[in-house]
Amino acid sequence: MGSRLKLSVRYIMNNMKETNYGMKKVVKDFLIVFSNNIISLISGLIVSLGLPKILSMEDYSDYKIFMLYLSYIGLFHFGLIDGVVVKFAGKSEIDIGLRIYRSITRLLVKMELIIAVLILAIVLVVIRGEYEFLGIVVAFDIIVHNLLSYYRSTMQITMRYKAYTITGVYGNIFRLFGILLLLIMKKLNCASCNIYIMIYMFGEISQLIFCLLLSKRITFGKKLDIREAKAVIMEIFKTGTPLLVAGIISTLILNLDRQFVSILFRKKDYAVYSFSYSIMNIILTLISAMSIVLYPAIKVKEKKELGKYYENFICILSCFVFSCFVFIPILNKFIEWFLPDYKYSLEILRVIFPVVVSLSIMQIIVINFYKTIEITRTYLMISITVLGISFMLNYIGYFIFKSMEAIAVSTVISCYIWFFISDRIIKNRININSYGVYYCLVITIIYYISYFLIWNINWLLGICSYAIFVGIMSYLIIKKQIVKR
């Protein structure tokens, strides 16, 4: 097996050397971004475990509701950021043109200011009581978050990975500082959800200022008149709008179960359910470095070369994520010791963990290939279809079982349907026939058999069974997919 793995690695490296991008640059860029993701992992771990430890379950529930609605504010750049990413990926700022870049930057600033004022007015008129403060902060964060996203996206697509990493590290360090400050306030009996949200907002504002300083030349200076830039801007919106809508629909798909739980269950139940997602997102943070480097890298490849990279990326990523599930018992023991009030979340987490696989592949590989072969409208239609399926499954799951576990199962099924349909379209477009999707399905079934049926008999037997099967299946898929190519 060792020789097979060495051969597969050598195969991938030899193929990467054939491209202009070059394996050395891909590895270097990945390591730069991955270093930020390691810090993000540490920060995410401390925040995910520290907040529920410091805050009451009610306060933690309010914070997670705030973050839930914060996930929708990307809608308010109306596709401008997505269009910039697709149109300019792999080009330097000089190649694109600083004057056109400045026109886009200032247009985004004006748009976000107008939208933030409108949303703030609606919040002040419509929302009253405990959620009024959260609504005001969400309205204000429309400006901060979308501009921050824009600057960091431009760093990514122009391959300024050092700047991207520096700003990311700063944000993560500030979040750690926020937890420390909240811990001090708990000692003074004044820790609350609202205080941490203010710390969070101050961190985002200072991170935005940092990004602005590193991106001065696409912000300040002479710009093109709006009439001169009109054609480019219209093309950016035309390209970005389907991606934006697809992204929002994707967010709805991922948030739908939590929306159901937040409406249909108690605050404490929502706190428990959301905590399971926080743990799951830690793994996604670790592997998301691949996505940041992947799109600019595959953007410069010929269409005929994409097939082998698509197959290999899915194979390697799915093997890695499934292997991580071996450590679930260690996670269980730690949560039971550190956060006994959230012990029930472990049951939900065991149910929903396979979502990490489908989400990783969708967010890191599939969407980047859809953008590369320019079929984002197809991705939009797939996402709309899956959103309808997801709503139906969540409703049926709750109606029949009245449990959060049933809603979690519905989410797993929805995300796998999303992955299978999207995978089939890509394979038809670039004319490949991979085994990755079948591998994921088989290992997921083995996961549930091991972690539920066998686990209930003996947890050690369950984890050993899973480890053996995932090892064998990973060996077979690597042998079939990479080594024999």
Side-chain angles (χ1 to χ4, degrees):
M1 180 174 177
S3 61
R4 295 284 189 182
L5 288 173
K6 290 179 181 177
L7 182 56
S8 67
V9 171
R10 191 179 302 117
Y11 170 83
I12 296 172
M13 291 182 69
N14 288 338
N15 277 280
M16 293 296 287
K17 287 177 181 177
E18 295 172 1
T19 67
N20 292 330
Y21 196 73
M23 183 62 185
K24 288 184 178 180
K25 182 165 177 55
V26 172
V27 172
K28 180 182 177 182
D29 291 340
F30 175 76
L31 290 176
I32 290 172
V33 179
F34 189 74
S35 64
N36 171 57
N37 282 46
I38 291 294
I39 297 174
S40 295
L41 177 67
I42 296 169
S43 171
L45 188 62
I46 293 174
V47 171
S48 296
L49 297 175
L51 278 180
K53 186 72 174 179
I54 297 170
L55 299 175
S56 66
M57 292 190 78
E58 288 79 8
D59 266 353
Y60 182 70
S61 176
D62 286 342
Y63 168 74
K64 296 305 290 186
I65 287 174
F66 166 74
M67 296 304 294
L68 177 66
Y69 287 100
L70 211 61
S71 66
Y72 297 122
I73 64 178
L75 169 67
F76 298 112
H77 61 73
F78 303 106
L80 182 63
I81 298 175
D82 295 297
V84 167
V85 169
V86 173
K87 184 171 178 59
F88 297 150
K91 300 178 182 178
S92 70
E93 293 169 348
I94 300 298
D95 292 336
I96 296 164
L98 291 176
R99 293 181 70 186
I100 184 65
Y101 237 138
R102 291 165 188 155
S103 299
I104 295 167
T105 302
R106 294 178 197 180
L107 175 62
L108 179 64
V109 171
K110 293 175 183 177
M111 284 170 42
E112 300 315 294
L113 282 170
I114 293 170
I115 294 299
V117 171
L118 291 174
I119 296 297
L120 180 60
I122 294 171
V123 167
L124 293 175
V125 171
V126 176
I127 299 178
R128 289 289 183 271
E130 60 179 324
Y131 292 122
E132 184 176 8
F133 171 77
L134 299 182
I136 292 171
V137 177
V138 168
F140 180 72
D141 200 41
I142 288 172
I143 304 170
V144 179
H145 182 83
N146 283 339
L147 286 177
L148 182 59
S149 176
Y150 169 74
Y151 282 122
R152 300 200 76 220
S153 294
T154 60
M155 291 172 186
Q156 175 194 345
I157 62 175
T158 56
M159 293 177 278
R160 295 170 58 210
Y161 294 119
K162 288 183 180 179
Y164 182 91
T165 300
I166 290 169
T167 55
V169 168
Y170 174 84
N172 286 313
I173 290 175
F174 198 93
R175 279 185 279 276
L176 292 175
F177 170 75
I179 290 293
L180 177 61
L181 189 58
L182 195 66
L183 186 60
I184 294 171
M185 290 183 173
K186 184 180 181 181
K187 299 292 184 181
L188 301 174
N189 295 319
C190 57
S192 70
C193 166
N194 289 353
I195 288 176
Y196 184 74
I197 287 173
M198 293 303 295
I199 296 171
Y200 172 87
M201 280 302 305
F202 185 79
E204 282 221 316
I205 293 169
S206 59
Q207 189 179 11
L208 174 59
I209 294 171
F210 195 14
C211 286
L212 179 60
L213 293 174
L214 293 174
S215 303
K216 289 186 291 185
R217 63 181 186 170
I218 67 168
T219 306
F220 305 108
K222 292 183 179 180
K223 67 179 183 68
L224 286 183
D225 185 86
I226 193 67
R227 287 170 295 183
E228 298 176 273
K230 182 179 178 181
V232 175
I233 290 172
M234 291 302 293
E235 185 180 350
I236 287 171
F237 276 114
K238 183 179 178 181
T239 304
T241 300
L243 271 177
L244 168 75
V245 178
I248 293 299
I249 291 172
S250 300
T251 301
L252 285 169
I253 294 170
L254 302 181
N255 289 350
L256 199 57
D257 56 339
R258 280 172 285 174
Q259 294 282 182
F260 268 81
V261 173
S262 68
I263 295 169
L264 299 172
F265 292 85
R266 301 173 304 164
K267 265 192 176 184
K268 287 187 176 181
D269 293 325
Y270 181 72
V272 168
Y273 194 89
S274 296
F275 177 72
S276 65
Y277 260 87
S278 296
I279 298 300
M280 190 175 72
N281 285 334
I282 292 171
I283 299 177
L284 288 172
T285 298
L286 176 64
I287 59 180
S288 64
M290 297 179 190
S291 178
I292 295 162
V293 175
L294 182 60
Y295 180 55
I298 63 175
K299 178 76 173 177
V300 299
K301 299 188 189 306
E302 296 291 333
K303 188 174 180 180
K304 62 183 180 180
E305 295 182 292
L306 292 176
K308 59 187 176 184
Y309 290 105
Y310 180 77
E311 296 175 84
N312 291 344
F313 283 138
I314 286 186
C315 172
I316 293 168
L317 181 59
S318 56
C319 287
F320 172 76
V321 177
F322 276 122
S323 299
C324 291
F325 296 165
V326 173
F327 301 101
I328 287 178
I330 298 174
L331 178 64
N332 279 11
K333 294 297 181 182
F334 177 78
I335 298 299
E336 287 175 0
W337 166 72
F338 189 71
L339 290 167
D341 290 342
Y342 290 84
K343 184 178 178 180
Y344 181 54
S345 67
L346 296 171
E347 299 299 319
I348 298 167
L349 195 58
R350 272 199 295 155
V351 172
I352 210 167
F353 243 141
V355 165
V356 176
V357 179
S358 56
L359 287 187
S360 299
I361 294 172
M362 289 297 298
Q363 295 178 353
I364 295 172
I365 300 172
V366 172
I367 183 58
N368 282 316
F369 274 83
Y370 269 83
K371 289 190 289 186
T372 300
I373 60 180
E374 298 180 353
I375 54 171
T376 53
R377 295 179 188 275
T378 303
Y379 182 74
L380 171 60
M381 298 309 299
I382 294 170
S383 299
I384 292 172
T385 302
V386 173
L387 177 61
I389 294 171
S390 181
F391 184 87
M392 180 183 67
L393 290 176
N394 275 275
Y395 178 79
I396 292 172
Y398 174 75
F399 182 78
I400 295 175
F401 299 101
K402 298 289 193 300
S403 71
M404 293 190 292
E405 289 91 340
I407 292 175
V409 169
S410 300
T411 300
V412 174
I413 296 172
S414 300
C415 287
Y416 268 81
I417 291 172
W418 193 18
F419 167 39
F420 292 156
I421 295 174
S422 302
D423 176 77
R424 175 52 58 186
I425 297 295
I426 286 183
K427 288 193 290 191
N428 288 340
R429 286 299 182 106
I430 58 181
N431 195 28
I432 59 171
N433 183 27
S434 68
Y435 298 90
V437 67
Y438 306 110
Y439 165 79
C440 291
L441 181 60
V442 170
I443 293 295
T444 299
I445 293 171
I446 291 172
Y447 169 85
Y448 282 116
I449 292 173
S450 301
Y451 278 95
F452 285 89
L453 295 180
I454 302 177
W455 182 289
N456 291 335
I457 299 171
N458 185 287
W459 72 268
L460 185 58
L461 181 62
I463 187 62
C464 288
S465 301
Y466 176 76
I468 291 170
F469 275 113
V470 80
I472 293 172
M473 289 297 296
S474 296
Y475 167 73
L476 292 176
I477 192 67
I478 289 173
K479 177 182 177 181
K480 181 75 175 178
Q481 191 69 48
I482 297 179
V483 176
K484 285 193 173 183
R485 285 183 58 83

